[in-house]
Amino acid sequence: MPRSRIAGIGKYLPPHTVTNQDLTQYMDTSDEWIQERTGIKERHYAHRTEETTTTMAVEAARIAIERAGTTAQEIDFIVFATLSPDYYFPGCGVLLQRAMGMREIGALDVRNQCSGFLYALSVADQFIKTGMYKNVLVVGSEKHSFGLDFSTRGRNISVIFGDGAGAVVLQAAEDRGILSTHLHSDGGSAEILAMYNPGTHANHWTDTGYATFDEAPIGEMFMSHAMIDQAQNFPYMDGQAVFKKAVVKFPEVIMEALKANGYQPSDLKMLIPHQANLRISQFVQQKLQLRDDQVYNNIQHYGNTTAASVPIALCEAWEKGRIQDGDLVCLAAFGSGFTWASALLTW
Ligand code: UT7
């Protein structure tokens, strides 16, 4: 069976940068706090009206497709990972298909938050390995800046996230490519990092002015003024609980990938961790006894771009010459769900 290899990779960061100092005009925070707790110095925000999750994905995809030596017309399937879609439905995959003038190919949206790109990559990998498709486009893109609580109430989340997109084209190869992917979930902690509304659940109603869900007017079940007043349309995160789980699951899923292929951490040319928090990446590096040159971090300049963070970091590492043909590379992510995942590949 052939392997699937990343034949082309691209990234897009909107030009507008927002420093930690810039955020102090909206909320009670400081450059010191943000840098000390997260490592972030600045992040990029999409243009308010002219850029969306899909338009950023198109920019990254164009580069990936060109570098893969193919065209948008030759793409056979799209897998699109995002938690900040242009519409509640339909998903961004079909919007990308339309925007790039592609054939009437399949387009699948993946909703696995920070692990979204790795889940998407794993799905695409199966289509290539079985020979069903020749060119699969895998995208991670996020426009977080539109959906964050910029008041002091939301500061533990809003300072972390940034906008951007990354994309790869997978093609079959005999001599290199994805060795294995490893996907996990534990829904027991689903509400620890989540955006509750709009949604079809009947929880959290006591916070919205009604004693029970049954008392709510039928037209206000999906989205109500009370929900907005309670900030339930913004992401919620118990940061410490997420941090504690992340520093266990990251090393675990990286070791799982290495062991499955008979490697150890010292064999890695590069680990590309999801850029959740620089402190998490440093913890993982220490735990696996990796050198500085074996771990790629760029959260300092982009913040946490969720599904886009792994392809953006991978693209940047490759563009800087830090990854070359034949190198052993591990991609790993952990986040909301909880979901976590890894992929081991030879570049
Ligand atoms: O990619 C998705 C997965 N997400 C993650 O992996 C995130 C994991 N968690 C984290 O990265 C960290 O938990 C955070 C960076 C989110 C928060 O850092 P922390 O060290 O866990 O802070 P904390 O939430 O325990 O808050 C400590 C203090 C609190 O004040 P008090 O109660 O001690 O007075 C917060 O209100 O820091 C305060 N605080 C802030 N202060 C200034 C929270 N956010 C901010 C802020 N600026 N932006």
Side-chain angles (χ1 to χ4, degrees):
M1 198 185 273
R3 291 208 182 110
S4 31
R5 88 174 248 259
I6 295 177
I9 184 162
K11 68 178 192 320
Y12 175 78
L13 280 310
H16 179 50
T17 55
V18 175
T19 64
N20 294 341
Q21 188 59 35
D22 292 336
L23 292 177
T24 62
Q25 62 186 296
Y26 309 112
M27 64 189 84
D28 180 12
T29 190
S30 65
D31 182 43
E32 293 78 2
W33 192 96
I34 300 171
Q35 285 211 48
E36 193 190 310
R37 309 275 176 141
T38 71
I40 299 167
K41 297 174 197 278
E42 59 185 354
R43 72 286 292 143
H44 293 237
Y45 283 175
H47 189 280
R48 283 189 186 202
T49 53
E50 287 169 18
E51 292 186 306
T52 69
T53 295
T54 301
T55 69
M56 291 190 289
V58 167
E59 297 299 326
R62 276 208 184 103
I63 299 167
I65 289 169
E66 195 189 322
R67 285 175 174 167
T70 186
T71 65
Q73 280 298 311
E74 300 301 316
I75 297 295
D76 300 306
F77 194 68
I78 300 163
V79 194
F80 198 125
T82 185
L83 66 66
S84 51
D86 295 25
Y87 301 127
Y88 190 82
F89 73 85
C92 285
V94 298
L95 303 182
L96 182 78
Q97 181 273 340
R98 176 176 71 183
M100 299 196 75
M102 291 168 164
R103 291 174 292 125
E104 293 176 349
I105 55 171
L108 174 73
D109 275 54
V110 167
R111 297 186 43 137
N112 285 77
Q113 297 66 251
C114 304
S115 318
F117 181 78
L118 287 178
Y119 269 74
L121 191 73
S122 180
V123 170
D125 182 34
Q126 314 310 316
F127 283 124
I128 296 287
K129 278 197 301 204
T130 56
M132 183 161 170
Y133 294 130
K134 281 191 178 143
N135 291 295
V136 180
L137 178 65
V138 185
V139 183
S141 182
E142 305 283 3
K143 185 178 175 180
H144 283 303
S145 57
F146 232 51
L148 297 173
D149 182 353
F150 283 99
S151 73
T152 296
R153 181 179 57 185
R155 66 183 177 174
N156 70 320
I157 292 190
S158 47
V159 300
I160 296 176
F161 291 106
D163 300 342
V168 301
V169 174
L170 286 193
Q171 292 174 351
E174 295 298 334
D175 55 335
R176 54 185 160 157
I178 297 172
L179 302 172
S180 62
T181 57
H182 306 267
L183 311 178
H184 295 281
S185 73
D186 173 9
S189 302
E191 281 77 18
I192 279 180
L193 174 48
M195 195 176 109
Y196 301 132
N197 285 304
T200 57
H201 63 88
N203 301 326
H204 309 289
W205 274 88
T206 47
D207 294 342
T208 59
Y210 305 108
T212 68
F213 177 72
D214 292 330
E215 275 185 24
I218 191 154
E220 290 193 18
M221 292 194 304
F222 191 60
M223 177 53 78
S224 68
H225 290 290
M227 282 176 190
I228 293 170
D229 293 343
Q230 294 290 332
Q232 291 188 5
N233 58 320
F234 293 122
Y236 166 82
M237 175 168 74
D238 177 347
Q240 290 203 6
V242 177
F243 197 105
K244 280 181 195 153
K245 193 85 172 180
V247 294
V248 174
K249 292 301 175 188
F250 260 112
E252 206 176 278
V253 79
I254 294 164
M255 284 310 298
E256 184 183 351
L258 289 169
K259 276 188 190 153
N261 296 283
Y263 290 112
Q264 46 197 0
S266 55
D267 295 320
L268 274 179
K269 175 66 194 244
M270 191 63 76
L271 169 67
I272 309 275
H274 160 55
Q275 304 290 296
N277 181 326
L278 190 59
R279 306 289 161 253
I280 293 176
S281 293
Q282 288 168 337
F283 189 96
V284 173
Q285 178 180 338
Q286 233 177 22
K287 176 104 182 160
L288 299 178
Q289 296 183 312
L290 295 168
R291 300 180 309 270
D292 285 352
D293 64 278
Q294 287 177 290
V295 184
Y296 197 81
N297 290 303
N298 60 9
I299 191 171
Q300 299 90 328
H301 301 293
Y302 304 139
N304 177 343
T305 57
T306 312
S309 96
V310 168
I312 289 174
L314 182 61
C315 183
E316 194 171 85
W318 174 75
E319 284 171 349
K320 287 186 171 172
R322 301 271 304 272
I323 297 173
Q324 292 177 356
D325 286 359
D327 285 345
L328 187 67
V329 178
C330 186
L331 317 176
F334 175 89
S336 162
F338 292 133
T339 62
W340 60 103
S342 61
L344 194 68
L345 52 98
T346 46
W347 189 259

